[in-house]
Amino acid sequence: MRALYHLIDDEGHYIKPHTILATGDAAVVVQREDVAIKMAVVYKNNTLEEVEQNRSKIRREQEVWRRLQPDFNTPVEGIVHCLDLPGDTIEMRYMSGGTLSKWLRHRARPSIELQKRWFRQLAIGLHNLHQSCVIHSDILSRNILLDGSLNVAICDLGASSIMPIDAVLADAVDDYNCSIWTDLCQLGIVFYEIATGRRTSVSLYHHSGSDDSVARFPSRDMLPALGKQIWARDIIETCWREGGYGAVGAVGILAKLDKMQGSRRR
Protein backbone atom coordinates (compact mmCIF):
# COMPACT_ATOMS: atom_id res chain seq x y z
CA MET A 1 0.00 0.00 0.00
CA ARG A 2 2.84 2.42 0.76
CA ALA A 3 3.88 2.42 -2.91
CA LEU A 4 0.56 4.05 -3.78
CA TYR A 5 1.76 7.24 -2.09
CA HIS A 6 5.20 7.44 -3.70
CA LEU A 7 5.61 10.05 -6.40
CA ILE A 8 6.28 8.78 -9.91
CA ASP A 9 8.53 10.71 -12.31
CA ASP A 10 8.10 11.50 -16.00
CA GLU A 11 9.67 8.16 -16.95
CA GLY A 12 7.40 6.07 -14.73
CA HIS A 13 9.94 5.46 -11.95
CA TYR A 14 9.45 6.15 -8.27
CA ILE A 15 11.08 9.42 -7.25
CA LYS A 16 13.74 9.05 -4.57
CA PRO A 17 12.73 11.31 -1.67
CA HIS A 18 16.22 12.80 -1.26
CA THR A 19 16.08 14.20 -4.82
CA ILE A 20 12.90 16.21 -4.20
CA LEU A 21 13.59 19.95 -4.02
CA ALA A 22 10.00 21.16 -3.74
CA THR A 23 6.50 19.80 -4.05
CA GLY A 24 3.03 21.27 -4.36
CA ASP A 25 -0.49 20.14 -5.16
CA ALA A 26 0.14 19.73 -8.89
CA ALA A 27 3.91 19.79 -9.42
CA VAL A 28 7.12 18.43 -7.96
CA VAL A 29 10.69 19.60 -8.59
CA VAL A 30 13.48 17.03 -8.48
CA GLN A 31 17.23 17.36 -8.81
CA ARG A 32 19.20 15.38 -11.36
CA GLU A 33 22.84 16.42 -11.09
CA ASP A 34 22.96 20.14 -11.96
CA VAL A 35 19.42 20.28 -13.36
CA ALA A 36 16.15 20.92 -11.51
CA ILE A 37 13.21 19.27 -13.26
CA LYS A 38 9.63 20.34 -12.66
CA MET A 39 7.01 17.73 -13.49
CA ALA A 40 3.43 16.85 -12.67
CA VAL A 41 2.58 15.23 -9.36
CA VAL A 42 1.68 11.63 -10.19
CA TYR A 43 0.88 8.83 -7.75
CA LYS A 44 0.31 5.20 -8.66
CA ASN A 45 -3.33 5.37 -7.60
CA ASN A 46 -4.12 8.57 -9.54
CA THR A 47 -6.79 8.40 -12.21
CA LEU A 48 -5.89 9.33 -15.78
CA GLU A 49 -8.01 12.45 -15.36
CA GLU A 50 -6.03 13.53 -12.28
CA VAL A 51 -2.72 12.93 -14.04
CA GLU A 52 -3.83 14.87 -17.11
CA GLN A 53 -5.05 17.76 -14.97
CA ASN A 54 -1.64 18.12 -13.34
CA ARG A 55 0.23 17.69 -16.61
CA SER A 56 -1.91 20.34 -18.25
CA LYS A 57 -0.69 22.80 -15.61
CA ILE A 58 2.90 22.00 -16.55
CA ARG A 59 2.08 22.56 -20.23
CA ARG A 60 0.50 25.89 -19.36
CA GLU A 61 3.68 26.94 -17.55
CA GLN A 62 5.74 25.78 -20.53
CA GLU A 63 3.90 28.33 -22.65
CA VAL A 64 4.92 31.06 -20.23
CA TRP A 65 8.55 29.97 -20.52
CA ARG A 66 8.34 30.00 -24.32
CA ARG A 67 7.12 33.59 -24.22
CA LEU A 68 9.70 34.67 -21.65
CA GLN A 69 12.75 32.75 -22.85
CA PRO A 70 12.42 31.61 -26.47
CA ASP A 71 16.11 30.67 -26.67
CA PHE A 72 17.18 28.02 -24.14
CA ASN A 73 20.82 29.05 -24.60
CA THR A 74 20.13 32.63 -23.54
CA PRO A 75 18.95 33.01 -19.95
CA VAL A 76 16.82 35.97 -18.93
CA GLU A 77 18.50 38.16 -16.33
CA GLY A 78 16.87 37.89 -12.93
CA ILE A 79 14.96 34.72 -13.87
CA VAL A 80 16.04 31.13 -13.27
CA HIS A 81 17.56 29.74 -16.47
CA CYS A 82 15.21 27.39 -18.32
CA LEU A 83 17.31 24.75 -20.09
CA ASP A 84 14.68 22.77 -21.99
CA LEU A 85 10.99 21.83 -22.09
CA PRO A 86 10.98 18.11 -22.94
CA GLY A 87 7.62 16.35 -22.82
CA ASP A 88 5.52 17.54 -19.90
CA THR A 89 8.50 18.76 -17.88
CA ILE A 90 10.48 21.94 -17.32
CA GLU A 91 14.25 21.65 -16.98
CA MET A 92 15.98 24.49 -15.16
CA ARG A 93 19.41 25.30 -13.82
CA TYR A 94 19.79 23.87 -10.32
CA MET A 95 20.22 26.69 -7.80
CA SER A 96 22.30 25.33 -4.95
CA GLY A 97 21.51 28.13 -2.49
CA GLY A 98 17.87 27.08 -2.08
CA THR A 99 14.96 29.44 -1.55
CA LEU A 100 15.28 32.99 -0.28
CA SER A 101 12.65 32.31 2.39
CA LYS A 102 14.75 29.50 3.86
CA TRP A 103 17.93 31.56 3.60
CA LEU A 104 16.36 34.46 5.51
CA ARG A 105 15.07 32.14 8.23
CA HIS A 106 18.35 30.36 8.89
CA ARG A 107 21.11 32.86 8.13
CA ALA A 108 22.31 36.10 9.66
CA ARG A 109 20.84 39.31 8.28
CA PRO A 110 22.41 40.05 4.89
CA SER A 111 24.59 43.14 4.64
CA ILE A 112 23.10 46.30 3.17
CA GLU A 113 25.27 45.84 0.09
CA LEU A 114 23.96 42.30 -0.43
CA GLN A 115 20.41 43.53 0.12
CA LYS A 116 20.88 46.18 -2.56
CA ARG A 117 22.28 43.58 -4.94
CA TRP A 118 19.24 41.38 -4.37
CA PHE A 119 16.87 44.32 -4.84
CA ARG A 120 18.53 45.12 -8.15
CA GLN A 121 18.52 41.52 -9.42
CA LEU A 122 14.86 41.03 -8.49
CA ALA A 123 13.79 44.35 -10.01
CA ILE A 124 15.55 43.41 -13.25
CA GLY A 125 13.89 40.00 -13.22
CA LEU A 126 10.43 41.48 -12.70
CA HIS A 127 11.05 44.11 -15.38
CA ASN A 128 12.03 41.37 -17.84
CA LEU A 129 8.85 39.44 -17.03
CA HIS A 130 6.73 42.51 -17.65
CA GLN A 131 8.65 43.36 -20.83
CA SER A 132 7.53 39.96 -22.12
CA CYS A 133 3.94 40.81 -21.12
CA VAL A 134 3.94 38.19 -18.38
CA ILE A 135 2.35 38.82 -14.99
CA HIS A 136 3.95 36.57 -12.38
CA SER A 137 1.18 36.73 -9.73
CA ASP A 138 3.17 34.84 -7.08
CA ILE A 139 6.26 36.88 -6.19
CA LEU A 140 7.08 35.39 -2.80
CA SER A 141 10.39 34.70 -1.07
CA ARG A 142 9.79 30.97 -1.46
CA ASN A 143 9.66 31.52 -5.24
CA ILE A 144 13.06 33.18 -5.33
CA LEU A 145 16.19 31.03 -5.52
CA LEU A 146 19.86 31.64 -4.76
CA ASP A 147 22.86 30.23 -6.54
CA GLY A 148 26.17 29.35 -4.91
CA SER A 149 27.38 32.96 -5.24
CA LEU A 150 24.28 34.36 -3.50
CA ASN A 151 22.73 35.77 -6.64
CA VAL A 152 18.93 35.66 -6.63
CA ALA A 153 16.52 34.78 -9.42
CA ILE A 154 12.75 34.56 -9.72
CA CYS A 155 11.30 31.11 -10.34
CA ASP A 156 7.97 29.24 -10.45
CA LEU A 157 5.86 30.60 -13.29
CA GLY A 158 3.00 28.21 -12.54
CA ALA A 159 0.60 31.00 -11.57
CA SER A 160 1.78 33.42 -14.26
CA SER A 161 -0.42 34.85 -16.97
CA ILE A 162 0.55 35.57 -20.57
CA MET A 163 -0.94 38.87 -21.65
CA PRO A 164 -1.37 40.01 -25.27
CA ILE A 165 1.98 41.14 -26.62
CA ASP A 166 0.56 44.57 -27.43
CA ALA A 167 -1.13 45.01 -24.05
CA VAL A 168 -0.62 48.21 -22.08
CA LEU A 169 0.37 46.47 -18.87
CA ALA A 170 -0.08 49.54 -16.71
CA ASP A 171 -3.83 49.16 -17.33
CA ALA A 172 -4.08 45.38 -17.73
CA VAL A 173 -5.28 42.71 -15.31
CA ASP A 174 -5.43 38.95 -15.78
CA ASP A 175 -8.36 36.65 -15.05
CA TYR A 176 -7.56 36.76 -11.33
CA ASN A 177 -7.22 40.56 -11.17
CA CYS A 178 -3.42 40.37 -10.96
CA SER A 179 -1.38 43.11 -12.61
CA ILE A 180 2.10 44.56 -12.72
CA TRP A 181 1.05 46.53 -9.63
CA THR A 182 0.19 43.43 -7.60
CA ASP A 183 3.52 41.96 -8.74
CA LEU A 184 5.30 45.09 -7.49
CA CYS A 185 3.34 45.01 -4.24
CA GLN A 186 4.45 41.43 -3.65
CA LEU A 187 8.02 42.37 -4.54
CA GLY A 188 7.78 45.11 -1.92
CA ILE A 189 6.82 42.47 0.64
CA VAL A 190 9.88 40.43 -0.35
CA PHE A 191 12.01 43.57 0.00
CA TYR A 192 10.52 44.13 3.45
CA GLU A 193 11.48 40.59 4.50
CA ILE A 194 15.02 41.10 3.18
CA ALA A 195 15.50 44.50 4.84
CA THR A 196 13.96 43.67 8.22
CA GLY A 197 14.30 39.91 8.60
CA ARG A 198 10.61 39.79 9.50
CA ARG A 199 8.02 37.66 7.77
CA THR A 200 4.54 38.87 6.95
CA SER A 201 1.36 36.96 6.24
CA VAL A 202 -0.11 39.60 3.91
CA SER A 203 -1.73 37.98 0.87
CA LEU A 204 -3.41 39.32 -2.24
CA TYR A 205 -6.08 36.66 -1.91
CA HIS A 206 -7.33 36.77 1.67
CA HIS A 207 -10.30 39.11 1.88
CA SER A 208 -13.12 39.00 4.39
CA GLY A 209 -16.47 38.47 2.74
CA SER A 210 -15.18 38.28 -0.84
CA ASP A 211 -13.91 35.79 -3.40
CA ASP A 212 -10.48 34.54 -2.31
CA SER A 213 -9.68 33.36 -5.84
CA VAL A 214 -9.50 36.97 -7.05
CA ALA A 215 -6.54 39.15 -6.11
CA ARG A 216 -6.93 42.55 -4.56
CA PHE A 217 -4.26 45.19 -4.05
CA PRO A 218 -3.99 45.45 -0.25
CA SER A 219 -4.76 48.72 1.47
CA ARG A 220 -1.80 50.37 3.19
CA ASP A 221 -3.13 49.56 6.67
CA MET A 222 -2.92 45.84 5.84
CA LEU A 223 0.81 46.13 5.17
CA PRO A 224 3.54 46.42 7.81
CA ALA A 225 4.68 49.73 9.25
CA LEU A 226 8.08 50.88 8.04
CA GLY A 227 10.43 52.54 10.50
CA LYS A 228 12.47 55.53 9.37
CA GLN A 229 15.66 53.57 10.01
CA ILE A 230 14.94 51.11 7.16
CA TRP A 231 17.25 52.09 4.30
CA ALA A 232 14.79 50.83 1.65
CA ARG A 233 11.73 52.53 3.12
CA ASP A 234 11.01 54.70 0.07
CA ILE A 235 11.51 51.82 -2.38
CA ILE A 236 9.14 49.59 -0.42
CA GLU A 237 6.51 52.27 0.18
CA THR A 238 6.42 53.01 -3.55
CA CYS A 239 5.90 49.30 -4.28
CA TRP A 240 2.97 49.41 -1.88
CA ARG A 241 1.22 52.25 -3.72
CA GLU A 242 -0.78 50.96 -6.67
CA GLY A 243 0.75 52.59 -9.72
CA GLY A 244 3.48 54.08 -7.55
CA TYR A 245 6.25 53.52 -10.07
CA GLY A 246 4.21 54.90 -12.94
CA ALA A 247 4.79 53.90 -16.54
CA VAL A 248 8.37 52.73 -15.90
CA GLY A 249 7.25 49.99 -13.51
CA ALA A 250 10.06 47.96 -11.93
CA VAL A 251 12.69 50.12 -13.66
CA GLY A 252 11.75 52.78 -11.12
CA ILE A 253 13.30 50.62 -8.40
CA LEU A 254 16.60 50.61 -10.30
CA ALA A 255 16.44 54.40 -10.59
CA LYS A 256 16.01 54.74 -6.83
CA LEU A 257 18.91 52.36 -6.18
CA ASP A 258 21.10 54.30 -8.61
CA LYS A 259 20.17 57.56 -6.91
CA MET A 260 21.18 56.12 -3.53
CA GLN A 261 24.48 54.95 -4.97
CA GLY A 262 25.13 58.36 -6.51
CA SER A 263 24.36 60.17 -3.26
CA ARG A 264 26.81 57.97 -1.36
CA ARG A 265 29.64 58.79 -3.79
CA ARG A 266 29.29 62.55 -3.34
Side-chain angles (χ1 to χ4, degrees):
M1 286 293 293
R2 292 177 63 188
L4 296 177
Y5 302 100
H6 287 180
L7 288 164
I8 297 172
D9 68 14
D10 54 308
E11 297 175 345
H13 304 129
Y14 288 123
I15 297 175
K16 296 177 181 178
H18 71 273
T19 67
I20 296 175
L21 300 173
T23 185
D25 293 335
V28 59
V29 182
V30 300
Q31 180 186 355
R32 293 179 185 165
E33 297 181 349
D34 59 350
V35 178
I37 305 174
K38 187 172 185 177
M39 61 189 74
V41 163
V42 177
Y43 293 101
K44 188 173 182 179
N45 62 333
N46 281 153
T47 65
L48 290 176
E49 183 179 359
E50 289 170 332
V51 171
E52 175 56 25
Q53 184 177 29
N54 289 346
R55 285 180 174 164
S56 69
K57 292 177 181 178
I58 295 293
R59 291 194 291 271
R60 180 183 179 278
E61 185 173 349
Q62 287 178 328
E63 290 306 308
V64 180
W65 280 108
R66 290 187 179 100
R67 165 69 73 84
L68 178 64
Q69 190 197 313
D71 181 358
F72 296 136
N73 294 316
T74 307
V76 177
E77 189 175 0
I79 309 294
V80 170
H81 185 188
C82 180
L83 303 172
D84 201 359
L85 299 171
D88 292 334
T89 67
I90 299 166
E91 294 185 355
M92 298 164 286
R93 174 193 173 202
Y94 170 62
M95 301 284 279
S96 61
T99 67
L100 178 61
S101 60
K102 185 176 180 180
W103 199 98
L104 292 173
R105 284 199 308 271
H106 299 292
R107 301 291 187 95
R109 183 83 58 81
S111 68
I112 298 297
E113 288 309 306
L114 182 56
Q115 291 180 36
K116 289 180 178 179
R117 190 172 99 197
W118 287 351
F119 276 39
R120 183 173 295 277
Q121 290 171 341
L122 294 172
I124 289 171
L126 188 58
H127 170 68
N128 285 333
L129 277 163
H130 293 165
Q131 283 291 99
S132 297
C133 289
V134 172
I135 295 172
H136 189 282
S137 306
D138 204 20
I139 301 285
L140 305 172
S141 55
R142 69 170 182 260
N143 291 333
I144 294 166
L145 298 178
L146 295 94
D147 66 14
S149 300
L150 297 185
N151 296 301
V152 291
I154 297 169
C155 69
D156 195 352
L157 306 183
S160 299
S161 295
I162 302 173
M163 307 302 287
I165 201 66
D166 58 350
V168 179
L169 282 197
D171 303 321
V173 295
D174 69 6
D175 292 341
Y176 301 96
N177 203 42
C178 291
S179 65
I180 64 170
W181 309 120
T182 55
D183 276 358
L184 279 161
C185 179
Q186 288 187 311
L187 185 60
I189 292 171
V190 172
F191 287 169
Y192 171 82
E193 293 177 357
I194 292 171
T196 67
R198 304 188 197 108
R199 300 181 69 189
T200 174
S201 59
V202 176
S203 170
L204 301 177
Y205 298 95
H206 296 161
H207 325 299
S208 57
S210 62
D211 185 356
D212 279 356
S213 68
V214 176
R216 180 178 298 174
F217 197 99
S219 60
R220 182 61 187 86
D221 63 307
M222 293 176 61
L223 296 160
L226 295 174
K228 293 182 179 179
Q229 76 282 6
I230 297 175
W231 71 267
R233 182 184 181 190
D234 180 50
I235 290 174
I236 297 170
E237 284 285 7
T238 309
C239 287
W240 289 349
R241 291 198 305 271
E242 190 167 7
Y245 280 105
V248 297
V251 171
I253 297 169
L254 302 178
K256 287 182 181 292
L257 289 168
D258 289 341
K259 186 176 180 180
M260 288 179 182
Q261 191 72 13
S263 298
R264 198 181 72 171
R265 287 174 179 168
R266 292 193 189 100

